[in-house]
Amino acid sequence: MKKKIRIFAFSGALMLGMLMPTTASAYKYYVTLPNGTQVMFHASSKFQAISIFRANFTQGVLTSRPEGGYLDQL
């Protein structure tokens, strides 16, 4: 019986952890320039990140993670 209670408590804790938002890098966006330099900036959404990217850069690739998450390219 104790084992079932422990399993139930553990699965409940896992479910609570899954419900919490993981925003550590959700609002960081990266632009990789043609020379390989990366520039990081913050935006409140992917749509805002794309508009900031298009307004401020003439070349480069916009990603949501340093090595992936492709969003746009100029």
Side-chain angles (χ1 to χ4, degrees):
M1 184 70 170
K2 286 184 180 181
K3 188 174 183 178
K4 287 183 181 180
I5 292 173
R6 272 192 266 154
I7 291 173
F8 181 74
F10 180 71
S11 63
L14 282 176
M15 291 300 294
L16 284 175
M18 290 173 63
L19 293 174
M20 296 179 122
T22 54
T23 58
S25 63
Y27 299 109
K28 293 180 184 176
Y29 297 91
Y30 300 85
V31 177
T32 304
L33 300 173
N35 65 1
T37 305
Q38 281 194 331
V39 178
M40 189 272 300
F41 66 92
H42 295 272
S44 61
S45 70
K46 288 183 180 183
F47 299 113
Q48 183 185 29
I50 291 171
S51 64
I52 290 171
F53 171 65
R54 290 184 178 178
N56 295 299
F57 295 92
T58 57
Q59 291 182 322
V61 176
L62 176 65
T63 58
S64 58
R65 294 185 307 272
E67 299 295 326
Y70 172 82
L71 294 175
D72 198 9
Q73 180 176 358
L74 292 175

Short mmCIF file of all heavy atoms in Angstrom, two decimals:
data_model
loop_
_atom_site.label_atom_id
_atom_site.label_comp_id
_atom_site.label_asym_id
_atom_site.label_seq_id
_atom_site.Cartn_x
_atom_site.Cartn_y
_atom_site.Cartn_z
N MET A 1 0.82 -1.19 0.00
CA MET A 1 0.00 0.00 0.00
C MET A 1 0.87 1.26 0.00
O MET A 1 0.56 2.21 -0.70
CB MET A 1 -0.93 -0.05 1.22
CG MET A 1 -1.89 1.09 1.28
SD MET A 1 -3.10 0.90 -0.03
CE MET A 1 -4.24 2.12 0.40
N LYS A 2 1.96 1.26 0.80
CA LYS A 2 2.83 2.44 0.86
C LYS A 2 3.50 2.70 -0.48
O LYS A 2 3.71 3.83 -0.87
CB LYS A 2 3.90 2.25 1.94
CG LYS A 2 3.39 2.37 3.34
CD LYS A 2 4.52 2.27 4.33
CE LYS A 2 4.01 2.40 5.74
NZ LYS A 2 5.11 2.32 6.71
N LYS A 3 3.81 1.59 -1.20
CA LYS A 3 4.44 1.75 -2.50
C LYS A 3 3.49 2.43 -3.49
O LYS A 3 3.90 3.30 -4.26
CB LYS A 3 4.89 0.39 -3.04
CG LYS A 3 5.72 0.47 -4.29
CD LYS A 3 6.25 -0.88 -4.69
CE LYS A 3 7.13 -0.75 -5.90
NZ LYS A 3 7.69 -2.04 -6.30
N LYS A 4 2.22 2.09 -3.45
CA LYS A 4 1.23 2.70 -4.33
C LYS A 4 1.08 4.19 -4.02
O LYS A 4 0.95 5.01 -4.92
CB LYS A 4 -0.12 1.99 -4.21
CG LYS A 4 -0.15 0.64 -4.85
CD LYS A 4 -1.53 0.04 -4.75
CE LYS A 4 -1.56 -1.34 -5.37
NZ LYS A 4 -2.88 -1.96 -5.29
N ILE A 5 1.10 4.53 -2.74
CA ILE A 5 0.99 5.94 -2.34
C ILE A 5 2.19 6.73 -2.82
O ILE A 5 2.07 7.84 -3.33
CB ILE A 5 0.81 6.05 -0.81
CG1 ILE A 5 -0.56 5.49 -0.41
CG2 ILE A 5 0.95 7.50 -0.35
CD1 ILE A 5 -0.77 5.39 1.08
N ARG A 6 3.39 6.14 -2.68
CA ARG A 6 4.60 6.82 -3.15
C ARG A 6 4.57 7.03 -4.66
O ARG A 6 4.92 8.09 -5.15
CB ARG A 6 5.85 6.02 -2.76
CG ARG A 6 6.36 6.38 -1.39
CD ARG A 6 7.72 5.79 -1.16
NE ARG A 6 7.50 4.52 -0.48
CZ ARG A 6 8.31 3.48 -0.51
NH1 ARG A 6 9.42 3.53 -1.20
NH2 ARG A 6 8.03 2.39 0.14
N ILE A 7 4.15 6.01 -5.39
CA ILE A 7 4.06 6.14 -6.86
C ILE A 7 3.04 7.21 -7.23
O ILE A 7 3.27 8.02 -8.12
CB ILE A 7 3.72 4.78 -7.49
CG1 ILE A 7 4.90 3.82 -7.34
CG2 ILE A 7 3.35 4.94 -8.95
CD1 ILE A 7 4.61 2.39 -7.77
N PHE A 8 1.91 7.22 -6.54
CA PHE A 8 0.88 8.21 -6.82
C PHE A 8 1.39 9.63 -6.52
O PHE A 8 1.19 10.56 -7.31
CB PHE A 8 -0.37 7.92 -5.98
CG PHE A 8 -1.49 8.89 -6.21
CD1 PHE A 8 -2.23 8.84 -7.38
CD2 PHE A 8 -1.79 9.86 -5.27
CE1 PHE A 8 -3.26 9.74 -7.60
CE2 PHE A 8 -2.81 10.77 -5.49
CZ PHE A 8 -3.55 10.70 -6.66
N ALA A 9 2.10 9.80 -5.39
CA ALA A 9 2.64 11.12 -5.03
C ALA A 9 3.71 11.55 -6.04
O ALA A 9 3.76 12.72 -6.44
CB ALA A 9 3.23 11.07 -3.63
N PHE A 10 4.55 10.61 -6.46
CA PHE A 10 5.59 10.94 -7.44
C PHE A 10 4.97 11.35 -8.78
O PHE A 10 5.39 12.34 -9.39
CB PHE A 10 6.52 9.74 -7.63
CG PHE A 10 7.62 9.98 -8.61
CD1 PHE A 10 8.66 10.84 -8.30
CD2 PHE A 10 7.61 9.37 -9.84
CE1 PHE A 10 9.69 11.07 -9.20
CE2 PHE A 10 8.62 9.59 -10.75
CZ PHE A 10 9.66 10.45 -10.43
N SER A 11 3.96 10.61 -9.23
CA SER A 11 3.33 10.96 -10.51
C SER A 11 2.60 12.30 -10.40
O SER A 11 2.56 13.08 -11.35
CB SER A 11 2.38 9.86 -10.97
OG SER A 11 1.33 9.70 -10.05
N GLY A 12 2.02 12.60 -9.23
CA GLY A 12 1.38 13.90 -9.02
C GLY A 12 2.39 15.03 -9.09
O GLY A 12 2.12 16.09 -9.68
N ALA A 13 3.57 14.82 -8.49
CA ALA A 13 4.61 15.84 -8.55
C ALA A 13 5.09 16.05 -9.98
O ALA A 13 5.35 17.18 -10.40
CB ALA A 13 5.78 15.45 -7.65
N LEU A 14 5.20 14.98 -10.75
CA LEU A 14 5.60 15.11 -12.15
C LEU A 14 4.56 15.90 -12.95
O LEU A 14 4.92 16.74 -13.78
CB LEU A 14 5.79 13.73 -12.79
CG LEU A 14 7.07 13.00 -12.47
CD1 LEU A 14 7.06 11.61 -13.11
CD2 LEU A 14 8.27 13.78 -12.95
N MET A 15 3.29 15.64 -12.69
CA MET A 15 2.23 16.36 -13.40
C MET A 15 2.26 17.85 -13.07
O MET A 15 2.09 18.69 -13.94
CB MET A 15 0.86 15.78 -13.07
CG MET A 15 0.63 14.40 -13.64
SD MET A 15 0.75 14.35 -15.43
CE MET A 15 -0.65 15.33 -15.89
N LEU A 16 2.49 18.18 -11.81
CA LEU A 16 2.59 19.59 -11.44
C LEU A 16 3.77 20.26 -12.13
O LEU A 16 3.68 21.39 -12.58
CB LEU A 16 2.71 19.74 -9.92
CG LEU A 16 1.44 19.54 -9.13
CD1 LEU A 16 1.73 19.59 -7.63
CD2 LEU A 16 0.41 20.59 -9.49
N GLY A 17 4.88 19.55 -12.22
CA GLY A 17 6.05 20.09 -12.91
C GLY A 17 5.79 20.32 -14.38
O GLY A 17 6.29 21.28 -14.98
N MET A 18 4.97 19.47 -14.99
CA MET A 18 4.67 19.63 -16.42
C MET A 18 3.74 20.82 -16.66
O MET A 18 3.75 21.41 -17.74
CB MET A 18 4.03 18.36 -16.96
CG MET A 18 5.00 17.20 -17.05
SD MET A 18 4.22 15.64 -17.51
CE MET A 18 3.60 16.03 -19.13
N LEU A 19 2.94 21.18 -15.66
CA LEU A 19 2.02 22.29 -15.82
C LEU A 19 2.69 23.65 -15.67
O LEU A 19 2.18 24.65 -16.14
CB LEU A 19 0.88 22.18 -14.80
CG LEU A 19 -0.07 21.01 -14.99
CD1 LEU A 19 -1.06 20.93 -13.84
CD2 LEU A 19 -0.79 21.09 -16.32
N MET A 20 3.85 23.69 -15.03
CA MET A 20 4.55 24.96 -14.84
C MET A 20 5.21 25.38 -16.15
O MET A 20 5.80 24.55 -16.84
CB MET A 20 5.62 24.82 -13.76
CG MET A 20 5.06 24.52 -12.40
SD MET A 20 6.38 24.34 -11.23
CE MET A 20 5.91 25.59 -10.09
N PRO A 21 5.09 26.63 -16.53
CA PRO A 21 5.68 27.08 -17.79
C PRO A 21 7.20 27.07 -17.70
O PRO A 21 7.79 27.42 -16.68
CB PRO A 21 5.15 28.51 -17.95
CG PRO A 21 4.81 28.94 -16.59
CD PRO A 21 4.41 27.71 -15.82
N THR A 22 7.82 26.67 -18.79
CA THR A 22 9.28 26.69 -18.89
C THR A 22 9.66 27.85 -19.79
O THR A 22 9.69 27.74 -21.00
CB THR A 22 9.82 25.37 -19.46
OG1 THR A 22 9.17 25.13 -20.69
CG2 THR A 22 9.56 24.21 -18.52
N THR A 23 9.93 28.98 -19.19
CA THR A 23 10.17 30.21 -19.96
C THR A 23 11.62 30.66 -19.89
O THR A 23 11.91 31.81 -20.14
CB THR A 23 9.26 31.33 -19.44
OG1 THR A 23 9.53 31.53 -18.06
CG2 THR A 23 7.80 31.00 -19.65
N ALA A 24 12.52 29.75 -19.57
CA ALA A 24 13.91 30.16 -19.43
C ALA A 24 14.46 30.74 -20.73
O ALA A 24 15.16 31.73 -20.72
CB ALA A 24 14.76 28.98 -18.97
N SER A 25 14.13 30.12 -21.85
CA SER A 25 14.63 30.64 -23.12
C SER A 25 13.49 30.94 -24.10
O SER A 25 13.73 31.14 -25.27
CB SER A 25 15.60 29.65 -23.75
OG SER A 25 14.91 28.45 -24.05
N ALA A 26 12.27 30.94 -23.61
CA ALA A 26 11.13 31.12 -24.50
C ALA A 26 11.07 32.51 -25.11
O ALA A 26 10.47 32.69 -26.15
CB ALA A 26 9.84 30.85 -23.75
N TYR A 27 11.69 33.48 -24.48
CA TYR A 27 11.61 34.84 -24.97
C TYR A 27 12.94 35.36 -25.51
O TYR A 27 13.09 36.52 -25.76
CB TYR A 27 11.09 35.76 -23.87
CG TYR A 27 9.71 35.35 -23.42
CD1 TYR A 27 9.53 34.78 -22.17
CD2 TYR A 27 8.62 35.49 -24.25
CE1 TYR A 27 8.27 34.37 -21.75
CE2 TYR A 27 7.36 35.10 -23.83
CZ TYR A 27 7.19 34.54 -22.59
OH TYR A 27 5.95 34.14 -22.19
N LYS A 28 13.90 34.47 -25.69
CA LYS A 28 15.18 34.86 -26.26
C LYS A 28 15.23 34.40 -27.70
O LYS A 28 14.84 33.28 -28.03
CB LYS A 28 16.34 34.22 -25.50
CG LYS A 28 16.51 34.71 -24.10
CD LYS A 28 17.68 34.03 -23.44
CE LYS A 28 17.81 34.45 -21.99
NZ LYS A 28 18.89 33.70 -21.32
N TYR A 29 15.69 35.28 -28.57
CA TYR A 29 15.80 34.96 -29.98
C TYR A 29 17.20 35.33 -30.45
O TYR A 29 17.81 36.25 -29.93
CB TYR A 29 14.73 35.71 -30.78
CG TYR A 29 13.35 35.27 -30.37
CD1 TYR A 29 12.65 35.93 -29.37
CD2 TYR A 29 12.76 34.16 -30.96
CE1 TYR A 29 11.40 35.50 -28.96
CE2 TYR A 29 11.50 33.72 -30.56
CZ TYR A 29 10.83 34.40 -29.56
OH TYR A 29 9.61 33.97 -29.17
N TYR A 30 17.70 34.57 -31.41
CA TYR A 30 19.08 34.71 -31.85
C TYR A 30 19.12 34.98 -33.35
O TYR A 30 18.40 34.35 -34.12
CB TYR A 30 19.86 33.43 -31.55
CG TYR A 30 19.90 33.10 -30.08
CD1 TYR A 30 18.86 32.39 -29.49
CD2 TYR A 30 20.94 33.51 -29.28
CE1 TYR A 30 18.87 32.09 -28.13
CE2 TYR A 30 20.96 33.22 -27.92
CZ TYR A 30 19.93 32.50 -27.37
OH TYR A 30 19.94 32.21 -26.03
N VAL A 31 19.98 35.92 -33.73
CA VAL A 31 20.23 36.20 -35.14
C VAL A 31 21.66 35.79 -35.43
O VAL A 31 22.59 36.23 -34.77
CB VAL A 31 20.04 37.71 -35.46
CG1 VAL A 31 20.38 37.99 -36.91
CG2 VAL A 31 18.63 38.15 -35.13
N THR A 32 21.82 34.92 -36.42
CA THR A 32 23.15 34.52 -36.86
C THR A 32 23.46 35.30 -38.13
O THR A 32 22.75 35.17 -39.13
CB THR A 32 23.23 33.01 -37.12
OG1 THR A 32 22.83 32.32 -35.93
CG2 THR A 32 24.65 32.60 -37.49
N LEU A 33 24.48 36.13 -38.06
CA LEU A 33 24.87 36.98 -39.19
C LEU A 33 25.75 36.19 -40.16
O LEU A 33 26.29 35.14 -39.80
CB LEU A 33 25.60 38.21 -38.65
CG LEU A 33 24.77 39.08 -37.69
CD1 LEU A 33 25.63 40.18 -37.09
CD2 LEU A 33 23.56 39.66 -38.38
N PRO A 34 25.91 36.67 -41.40
CA PRO A 34 26.70 35.95 -42.38
C PRO A 34 28.14 35.66 -41.96
O PRO A 34 28.73 34.67 -42.37
CB PRO A 34 26.68 36.86 -43.61
CG PRO A 34 25.42 37.64 -43.47
CD PRO A 34 25.25 37.83 -41.99
N ASN A 35 28.71 36.49 -41.09
CA ASN A 35 30.09 36.26 -40.65
C ASN A 35 30.17 35.29 -39.47
O ASN A 35 31.24 35.06 -38.93
CB ASN A 35 30.78 37.58 -40.29
CG ASN A 35 30.15 38.27 -39.09
OD1 ASN A 35 29.22 37.78 -38.48
ND2 ASN A 35 30.67 39.45 -38.77
N GLY A 36 29.03 34.72 -39.02
CA GLY A 36 29.01 33.75 -37.94
C GLY A 36 28.71 34.32 -36.57
O GLY A 36 28.52 33.58 -35.61
N THR A 37 28.67 35.64 -36.44
CA THR A 37 28.37 36.29 -35.17
C THR A 37 26.90 36.06 -34.82
O THR A 37 26.03 36.13 -35.68
CB THR A 37 28.63 37.80 -35.27
OG1 THR A 37 29.96 38.01 -35.70
CG2 THR A 37 28.41 38.49 -33.94
N GLN A 38 26.63 35.82 -33.53
CA GLN A 38 25.26 35.68 -33.07
C GLN A 38 24.88 36.85 -32.19
O GLN A 38 25.65 37.27 -31.33
CB GLN A 38 25.06 34.39 -32.29
CG GLN A 38 24.92 33.18 -33.17
CD GLN A 38 24.41 31.98 -32.39
OE1 GLN A 38 24.64 31.86 -31.20
NE2 GLN A 38 23.72 31.10 -33.07
N VAL A 39 23.67 37.37 -32.41
CA VAL A 39 23.12 38.47 -31.62
C VAL A 39 21.86 37.94 -30.96
O VAL A 39 21.00 37.36 -31.62
CB VAL A 39 22.79 39.68 -32.52
CG1 VAL A 39 22.18 40.80 -31.71
CG2 VAL A 39 24.02 40.15 -33.27
N MET A 40 21.73 38.15 -29.63
CA MET A 40 20.56 37.70 -28.90
C MET A 40 19.72 38.92 -28.53
O MET A 40 20.25 39.96 -28.17
CB MET A 40 20.99 36.96 -27.64
CG MET A 40 19.86 36.26 -26.89
SD MET A 40 18.98 37.22 -25.66
CE MET A 40 20.23 37.67 -24.52
N PHE A 41 18.39 38.78 -28.64
CA PHE A 41 17.49 39.83 -28.19
C PHE A 41 16.25 39.19 -27.58
O PHE A 41 15.99 38.01 -27.77
CB PHE A 41 17.14 40.82 -29.31
CG PHE A 41 16.34 40.24 -30.44
CD1 PHE A 41 14.96 40.29 -30.42
CD2 PHE A 41 16.97 39.66 -31.53
CE1 PHE A 41 14.21 39.76 -31.47
CE2 PHE A 41 16.23 39.13 -32.58
CZ PHE A 41 14.85 39.18 -32.54
N HIS A 42 15.47 39.97 -26.85
CA HIS A 42 14.26 39.51 -26.20
C HIS A 42 13.04 40.01 -26.96
O HIS A 42 13.03 41.13 -27.47
CB HIS A 42 14.18 40.02 -24.76
CG HIS A 42 15.26 39.48 -23.88
ND1 HIS A 42 15.13 38.30 -23.20
CD2 HIS A 42 16.49 39.93 -23.59
CE1 HIS A 42 16.22 38.06 -22.52
NE2 HIS A 42 17.08 39.04 -22.74
N ALA A 43 12.01 39.18 -27.01
CA ALA A 43 10.72 39.57 -27.60
C ALA A 43 9.63 38.81 -26.87
O ALA A 43 9.87 37.74 -26.30
CB ALA A 43 10.70 39.23 -29.08
N SER A 44 8.42 39.35 -26.87
CA SER A 44 7.34 38.73 -26.13
C SER A 44 6.67 37.58 -26.89
O SER A 44 5.95 36.79 -26.29
CB SER A 44 6.29 39.77 -25.75
OG SER A 44 5.75 40.35 -26.91
N SER A 45 6.91 37.47 -28.20
CA SER A 45 6.34 36.38 -28.99
C SER A 45 7.17 36.17 -30.24
O SER A 45 8.02 37.00 -30.59
CB SER A 45 4.90 36.70 -29.38
OG SER A 45 4.88 37.76 -30.33
N LYS A 46 6.91 35.07 -30.93
CA LYS A 46 7.62 34.80 -32.19
C LYS A 46 7.28 35.85 -33.24
O LYS A 46 8.14 36.24 -34.02
CB LYS A 46 7.28 33.41 -32.71
CG LYS A 46 7.89 32.31 -31.88
CD LYS A 46 7.60 30.96 -32.45
CE LYS A 46 8.24 29.89 -31.59
NZ LYS A 46 8.07 28.55 -32.13
N PHE A 47 6.05 36.30 -33.25
CA PHE A 47 5.64 37.31 -34.23
C PHE A 47 6.38 38.63 -33.99
O PHE A 47 6.83 39.28 -34.94
CB PHE A 47 4.12 37.53 -34.17
CG PHE A 47 3.35 36.29 -34.49
CD1 PHE A 47 2.60 35.66 -33.52
CD2 PHE A 47 3.39 35.74 -35.76
CE1 PHE A 47 1.89 34.51 -33.81
CE2 PHE A 47 2.69 34.58 -36.07
CZ PHE A 47 1.93 33.97 -35.09
N GLN A 48 6.52 39.02 -32.72
CA GLN A 48 7.25 40.23 -32.42
C GLN A 48 8.73 40.05 -32.75
O GLN A 48 9.37 40.97 -33.26
CB GLN A 48 7.10 40.62 -30.95
CG GLN A 48 7.80 41.93 -30.63
CD GLN A 48 7.77 42.28 -29.15
OE1 GLN A 48 7.73 41.40 -28.30
NE2 GLN A 48 7.83 43.56 -28.86
N ALA A 49 9.28 38.87 -32.51
CA ALA A 49 10.68 38.60 -32.83
C ALA A 49 10.93 38.74 -34.34
O ALA A 49 11.94 39.32 -34.76
CB ALA A 49 11.08 37.22 -32.35
N ILE A 50 10.02 38.23 -35.13
CA ILE A 50 10.18 38.33 -36.59
C ILE A 50 10.12 39.78 -37.04
O ILE A 50 10.91 40.22 -37.87
CB ILE A 50 9.12 37.46 -37.31
CG1 ILE A 50 9.43 35.98 -37.07
CG2 ILE A 50 9.09 37.77 -38.80
CD1 ILE A 50 8.35 35.04 -37.53
N SER A 51 9.21 40.57 -36.47
CA SER A 51 9.12 41.97 -36.88
C SER A 51 10.35 42.76 -36.42
O SER A 51 10.84 43.62 -37.15
CB SER A 51 7.83 42.62 -36.38
OG SER A 51 7.81 42.66 -34.98
N ILE A 52 10.87 42.48 -35.23
CA ILE A 52 12.11 43.13 -34.77
C ILE A 52 13.26 42.75 -35.68
O ILE A 52 14.07 43.59 -36.08
CB ILE A 52 12.41 42.75 -33.31
CG1 ILE A 52 11.39 43.40 -32.37
CG2 ILE A 52 13.83 43.17 -32.92
CD1 ILE A 52 11.48 42.91 -30.94
N PHE A 53 13.34 41.47 -36.03
CA PHE A 53 14.39 40.98 -36.91
C PHE A 53 14.35 41.69 -38.26
O PHE A 53 15.36 42.19 -38.75
CB PHE A 53 14.24 39.47 -37.08
CG PHE A 53 15.13 38.85 -38.12
CD1 PHE A 53 16.50 38.85 -37.97
CD2 PHE A 53 14.58 38.26 -39.24
CE1 PHE A 53 17.32 38.27 -38.92
CE2 PHE A 53 15.39 37.67 -40.20
CZ PHE A 53 16.77 37.67 -40.05
N ARG A 54 13.19 41.75 -38.87
CA ARG A 54 13.07 42.38 -40.20
C ARG A 54 13.31 43.89 -40.16
O ARG A 54 13.79 44.46 -41.13
CB ARG A 54 11.70 42.07 -40.79
CG ARG A 54 11.58 40.62 -41.17
CD ARG A 54 10.28 40.32 -41.85
NE ARG A 54 10.25 38.91 -42.24
CZ ARG A 54 9.21 38.35 -42.82
NH1 ARG A 54 8.13 39.06 -43.07
NH2 ARG A 54 9.26 37.08 -43.14
N ALA A 55 12.99 44.53 -39.04
CA ALA A 55 13.18 45.98 -38.94
C ALA A 55 14.62 46.37 -38.66
O ALA A 55 15.05 47.46 -39.02
CB ALA A 55 12.27 46.53 -37.84
N ASN A 56 15.40 45.49 -38.02
CA ASN A 56 16.73 45.87 -37.56
C ASN A 56 17.89 45.18 -38.25
O ASN A 56 19.04 45.55 -38.02
CB ASN A 56 16.85 45.62 -36.05
CG ASN A 56 15.92 46.52 -35.27
OD1 ASN A 56 16.03 47.73 -35.34
ND2 ASN A 56 14.98 45.93 -34.56
N PHE A 57 17.63 44.17 -39.07
CA PHE A 57 18.71 43.45 -39.72
C PHE A 57 18.47 43.39 -41.22
O PHE A 57 17.33 43.31 -41.67
CB PHE A 57 18.83 42.02 -39.16
CG PHE A 57 19.22 41.98 -37.72
CD1 PHE A 57 18.26 41.94 -36.71
CD2 PHE A 57 20.55 42.00 -37.34
CE1 PHE A 57 18.62 41.91 -35.38
CE2 PHE A 57 20.92 41.97 -36.00
CZ PHE A 57 19.96 41.93 -35.03
N THR A 58 19.55 43.44 -41.99
CA THR A 58 19.44 43.33 -43.44
C THR A 58 19.82 41.94 -43.94
O THR A 58 19.42 41.56 -45.03
CB THR A 58 20.34 44.37 -44.14
OG1 THR A 58 21.69 44.16 -43.71
CG2 THR A 58 19.89 45.78 -43.80
N GLN A 59 20.58 41.20 -43.13
CA GLN A 59 20.97 39.83 -43.48
C GLN A 59 21.00 39.02 -42.20
O GLN A 59 21.18 39.55 -41.11
CB GLN A 59 22.37 39.79 -44.10
CG GLN A 59 22.46 40.42 -45.46
CD GLN A 59 23.88 40.27 -46.01
OE1 GLN A 59 24.84 40.37 -45.27
NE2 GLN A 59 23.98 40.03 -47.30
N GLY A 60 20.85 37.71 -42.35
CA GLY A 60 20.98 36.83 -41.20
C GLY A 60 19.86 35.81 -41.12
O GLY A 60 18.95 35.80 -41.95
N VAL A 61 19.97 34.95 -40.12
CA VAL A 61 18.98 33.91 -39.86
C VAL A 61 18.48 34.07 -38.44
O VAL A 61 19.27 34.17 -37.50
CB VAL A 61 19.60 32.50 -40.06
CG1 VAL A 61 18.61 31.41 -39.70
CG2 VAL A 61 20.10 32.32 -41.48
N LEU A 62 17.17 34.10 -38.26
CA LEU A 62 16.55 34.24 -36.94
C LEU A 62 16.17 32.86 -36.43
O LEU A 62 15.50 32.09 -37.12
CB LEU A 62 15.30 35.12 -37.04
CG LEU A 62 14.48 35.28 -35.76
CD1 LEU A 62 15.26 36.02 -34.70
CD2 LEU A 62 13.18 36.01 -36.07
N THR A 63 16.60 32.55 -35.20
CA THR A 63 16.26 31.28 -34.57
C THR A 63 15.77 31.53 -33.16
O THR A 63 16.05 32.56 -32.56
CB THR A 63 17.48 30.32 -34.52
OG1 THR A 63 18.53 30.94 -33.81
CG2 THR A 63 17.95 29.96 -35.91
N SER A 64 15.03 30.54 -32.62
CA SER A 64 14.56 30.67 -31.24
C SER A 64 15.50 29.99 -30.26
O SER A 64 15.36 30.15 -29.06
CB SER A 64 13.16 30.06 -31.10
OG SER A 64 13.17 28.72 -31.49
N ARG A 65 16.47 29.23 -30.75
CA ARG A 65 17.53 28.63 -29.93
C ARG A 65 18.85 28.89 -30.64
O ARG A 65 18.88 29.08 -31.86
CB ARG A 65 17.31 27.13 -29.79
CG ARG A 65 16.07 26.77 -29.01
CD ARG A 65 15.98 25.27 -28.79
NE ARG A 65 16.09 24.49 -30.01
CZ ARG A 65 15.08 24.16 -30.79
NH1 ARG A 65 13.88 24.56 -30.50
NH2 ARG A 65 15.27 23.44 -31.86
N PRO A 66 19.96 28.89 -29.92
CA PRO A 66 21.24 29.19 -30.56
C PRO A 66 21.58 28.28 -31.74
O PRO A 66 22.16 28.70 -32.71
CB PRO A 66 22.26 29.02 -29.44
CG PRO A 66 21.50 29.22 -28.20
CD PRO A 66 20.11 28.73 -28.48
N GLU A 67 21.20 27.01 -31.68
CA GLU A 67 21.54 26.07 -32.75
C GLU A 67 20.32 25.46 -33.42
O GLU A 67 20.36 24.33 -33.90
CB GLU A 67 22.44 24.95 -32.19
CG GLU A 67 23.75 25.44 -31.62
CD GLU A 67 24.66 26.06 -32.66
OE1 GLU A 67 24.65 25.61 -33.82
OE2 GLU A 67 25.37 26.99 -32.30
N GLY A 68 19.21 26.17 -33.46
CA GLY A 68 18.03 25.60 -34.10
C GLY A 68 16.80 26.46 -33.89
O GLY A 68 16.90 27.60 -33.48
N GLY A 69 15.64 25.91 -34.17
CA GLY A 69 14.40 26.64 -34.02
C GLY A 69 14.24 27.74 -35.05
O GLY A 69 13.86 28.85 -34.74
N TYR A 70 14.55 27.43 -36.32
CA TYR A 70 14.52 28.40 -37.42
C TYR A 70 13.18 29.12 -37.50
O TYR A 70 12.14 28.51 -37.46
CB TYR A 70 14.80 27.65 -38.73
CG TYR A 70 14.61 28.48 -39.96
CD1 TYR A 70 15.61 29.32 -40.40
CD2 TYR A 70 13.44 28.43 -40.68
CE1 TYR A 70 15.46 30.09 -41.54
CE2 TYR A 70 13.26 29.19 -41.81
CZ TYR A 70 14.27 30.01 -42.24
OH TYR A 70 14.11 30.78 -43.37
N LEU A 71 13.24 30.46 -37.60
CA LEU A 71 12.02 31.26 -37.72
C LEU A 71 11.96 32.08 -39.00
O LEU A 71 10.91 32.20 -39.61
CB LEU A 71 11.89 32.22 -36.52
CG LEU A 71 11.68 31.58 -35.16
CD1 LEU A 71 11.70 32.63 -34.08
CD2 LEU A 71 10.37 30.83 -35.14
N ASP A 72 13.08 32.70 -39.40
CA ASP A 72 13.06 33.58 -40.57
C ASP A 72 14.48 33.77 -41.10
O ASP A 72 15.45 33.51 -40.38
CB ASP A 72 12.47 34.95 -40.19
CG ASP A 72 12.01 35.74 -41.42
OD1 ASP A 72 11.99 35.19 -42.53
OD2 ASP A 72 11.66 36.91 -41.24
N GLN A 73 14.57 34.23 -42.33
CA GLN A 73 15.89 34.47 -42.94
C GLN A 73 15.79 35.66 -43.89
O GLN A 73 14.81 35.83 -44.59
CB GLN A 73 16.33 33.21 -43.70
CG GLN A 73 17.67 33.38 -44.36
CD GLN A 73 18.11 32.08 -45.03
OE1 GLN A 73 17.44 31.08 -44.97
NE2 GLN A 73 19.26 32.13 -45.67
N LEU A 74 16.84 36.48 -43.88
CA LEU A 74 16.94 37.61 -44.82
C LEU A 74 18.19 37.45 -45.65
O LEU A 74 19.17 36.92 -45.26
CB LEU A 74 17.01 38.94 -44.07
CG LEU A 74 15.75 39.36 -43.33
CD1 LEU A 74 16.00 40.63 -42.54
CD2 LEU A 74 14.63 39.58 -44.31
#
